[in-house]
Amino acid sequence: MRFKEKVIEKLLLVTALSAIGVLALIIIFIFKEGSPIMVKVGIPHFILGEKWSPSKGIFGILPMIVGSIWVTVGALVVGLPLGLGCAIFLAEMAPARAGMVLKPAVELLAGIPSVVYGFIGLVVLVPFIRNVLGGPGFSVLASAIVLGIMILPTITSISFDALKAVPKAYRDGMLALGATRWQTIRMVLLPAAKPGIVAAVILGMGRAIGETMAVIMVAGNATIIPTSILAPVRTLTSNIALEMGYAAGDHRQALFATGVILFVIIAILNLLARWVAAGRVSE
Amino acid sequence: MQRGNKIDIQDLNLYYGNMQALKGISMSFPANAITALIGPSGCGKSTFLRCLNRMNDVIPGVRITGRVLLDGKDIYAPDSDVIELRKRVGMVFQRPAAFPLSIYENVACAARVHGVRDRATLDELVEKSLMGVGLWDEVRDKLHKSALGLSLGQQQQLCIARVVATGPEVILLDEPCSALDPASTLRIEDLIRRLEERYTIIIVTHNMQQAARASDYTAFMLNGELIEYGRTGDVFTSPRDPRTESYVTGRLG
Ligand SMILES: Nc1ncnc2c1ncn2[C@@H]1O[C@H](COP(=O)(O)OP(=O)(O)O)[C@@H](O)[C@H]1O
Ligand SMILES: [Mg+2]
């Protein structure tokens, strides 16, 4: 018995270590492949350079950084009100049973492959924007809407859990003061659930900034800094996916360096999420 | 000292599904007095208290018959406004549930609920309510700090201040001291005594000394029935019903 326990323990340790090891190797690999070109071009030039022209050896990824930010913020502008509204409705207004059925239904949205979202965006949304609002249709707006819908399950499900975790005593206390349901939600439940909602936003942002396929299909992918929401845009992830197939030499390294920047941004978002979640526990 | 009745209850019955939790209760609560509700745990004290500001409305499967008159008007009548009712009949719960907001906001939100928007009015109301519960001096320097940093006793005072800020006529307290230490308990009792002048107070307690010390009238409940109701002195020293006597002495002795 003791022997069996020991074996299982060791096996689990090996599994854990190899998982961490693989991750570490990936990170080392990306940094090793990406760093030399950043040093060669100069990190400020690489990050702040406005021109991306691999054939001429010019590597500035500012358009893609700005593009990722535009698209991510846009996704939040679309996804946060919808997702939070949905969570509030399911947690506080729908009958308890309806909430229990509808929440998994919303979570199911997360299981749809991103290429499907991209495809619908391509055949429905892009022509719609082109015909109604003008411009090429492939745009920041199209990407924001597609991503906003893709992050709905994340935002809805985590905000829902945060709202459900608010002690019943707050609800009763507020109702006993003569508050309406909406006043109770606005004045006490939302502030009480705020750490969870912030965590939902950060995780949604992580999902939006990392999404590639759906964005490539509707974004237009031009390497210029977009000046309007109807202009085409290229994100950091799209940049890697679009050019990796044929890149070599400095160009290939510059794509790895794009990955390094993306990695840093996502690591910061994750740290933020942890920090916020920890704040919730200690309160 | 006849002061008129604030609340009249006529043949009140309450069912949780098929289980009858309150059985034919009829009684009147005099205005500007403190009435204590005592009885063993599970006898229906909290349920009864929640009937008085319709907090049972939010529990699914509850059915109520009978009448509860506040100043002569039935609060269960179809045209009765439950929001207005809860403003007039405030409630303090067993566990202090200070909201996870600042001390200021805890009180201010109660006033905002009833339409107070103006900042100066809010400031004044917050100060007055906190003074009313004797908390002002301790918290004046940290009004904008989280209320969750207060001691449990202070949080319970804050909850009372919150209720006071809505300008109620009746205050219901459901075992407000059961989560508190003896010193905080005395503070709250003291406070309740002072509130009596302005409000009609109904307090549930399972602490016999507290009931004897801090109330004018006492009602004894058992299994959803009202067994005895009278002046606190009479109920404790010369109870009419043997069940009251054994409960009161059993707990006191
Ligand atoms: N929400 C509820 N649903 C069903 N039964 C309940 C509910 N709340 C209380 N009860 C039952 O009603 C009876 C009275 O409870 P309660 O009013 O809490 O008593 P007390 O406050 O005197 O301890 C108990 O038997 C309890 O189990
Ligand atoms: Mg109780």
Side-chain angles (χ1 to χ4, degrees), chain B residues 1 20 63 70 81 95 104 120 122 126 133 154 169 180:
Chain B
M1 202 167 42
Q20 183 167 12
R63 194 161 57 81
L70 177 65
D81 177 358
R95 280 201 59 83
Y104 181 94
L122 278 178
V126 169
V133 300
Q154 289 173 319
E169 297 157 31
L180 308 183

Side-chain angles (χ1 to χ4, degrees), chain A residues 126-179:
Chain A
V126 169
F128 179 82
I129 292 175
R130 182 167 52 222
N131 297 335
V132 175
L133 301 172
F138 296 97
S139 57
V140 175
L141 183 61
S143 320
I145 293 173
V146 167
L147 283 175
I149 291 167
M150 289 180 73
I151 64 175
L152 268 185
T154 310
I155 300 213
T156 303
S157 141
I158 297 175
S159 307
F160 176 92
D161 292 341
L163 283 168
K164 277 287 178 204
V166 173
K168 188 173 168 295
Y170 295 163
R171 242 169 284 249
D172 288 351
M174 200 60 187
L175 287 178
L177 292 172

Side-chain angles (χ1 to χ4, degrees), chain B residues 119-248:
Chain B
R119 188 77 196 189
T121 316
L122 278 178
D123 286 350
E124 194 183 324
L125 200 70
V126 169
E127 178 172 344
K128 213 175 80 192
S129 306
L130 287 171
M131 273 187 175
V133 300
L135 200 56
W136 176 251
D137 289 330
E138 289 159 49
V139 302
R140 60 188 306 168
D141 300 324
K142 46 178 181 180
L143 282 179
H144 297 285
K145 296 246 161 65
S146 169
L148 302 185
L150 297 173
S151 73
L152 274 186
Q154 289 173 319
Q155 287 191 31
Q156 195 61 294
Q157 275 175 292
L158 185 66
C159 290
I160 298 174
R162 207 158 72 187
V163 169
V164 166
T166 62
E169 297 157 31
V170 180
I171 299 181
L172 312 173
L173 301 112
D174 191 353
E175 305 196 25
C177 302
S178 62
L180 308 183
D181 59 79
S184 315
T185 299
L186 283 179
R187 260 169 89 132
I188 299 285
E189 278 179 23
D190 224 40
L191 165 60
I192 293 169
R193 265 290 170 210
R194 277 186 289 117
L195 293 175
E196 178 184 14
E197 291 168 26
R198 279 175 289 150
Y199 309 99
T200 300
I201 291 176
I202 304 169
I203 176 171
V204 170
T205 174
H206 58 212
N207 177 331
M208 290 306 104
Q209 285 93 331
Q210 188 173 56
R213 214 165 35 216
S215 69
D216 306 308
Y217 299 87
T218 297
F220 172 61
M221 288 176 67
L222 194 62
N223 293 326
E225 285 177 76
L226 178 66
I227 303 295
E228 182 146 2
Y229 178 39
R231 292 192 166 276
T232 297
D234 298 343
V235 172
F236 278 89
T237 54
S238 48
R240 277 172 278 124
D241 195 293
R243 288 170 294 181
T244 314
E245 181 167 15
S246 66
Y247 182 73
V248 169

Side-chain angles (χ1 to χ4, degrees), chain B residues 14 16-17 19-22 39-50 56 59-60 62 94 174-175 204 221 224:
Chain B
L14 182 144
Y16 290 117
M19 202 271 282
Q20 183 167 12
L22 297 177
S41 154
C43 72
K45 305 180 297 294
S46 300
T47 302
F48 180 52
L49 206 62
R50 284 198 301 266
N56 284 319
I59 302 175
V62 168
Q94 189 163 354
D174 191 353
E175 305 196 25
V204 170
M221 288 176 67

Side-chain angles (χ1 to χ4, degrees), chain A residues 264-275:
Chain A
V264 170
I265 293 175
I266 288 175
I268 291 172
L269 279 182
N270 267 306
L271 284 178
L272 264 177
R274 263 163 211 286
W275 181 64

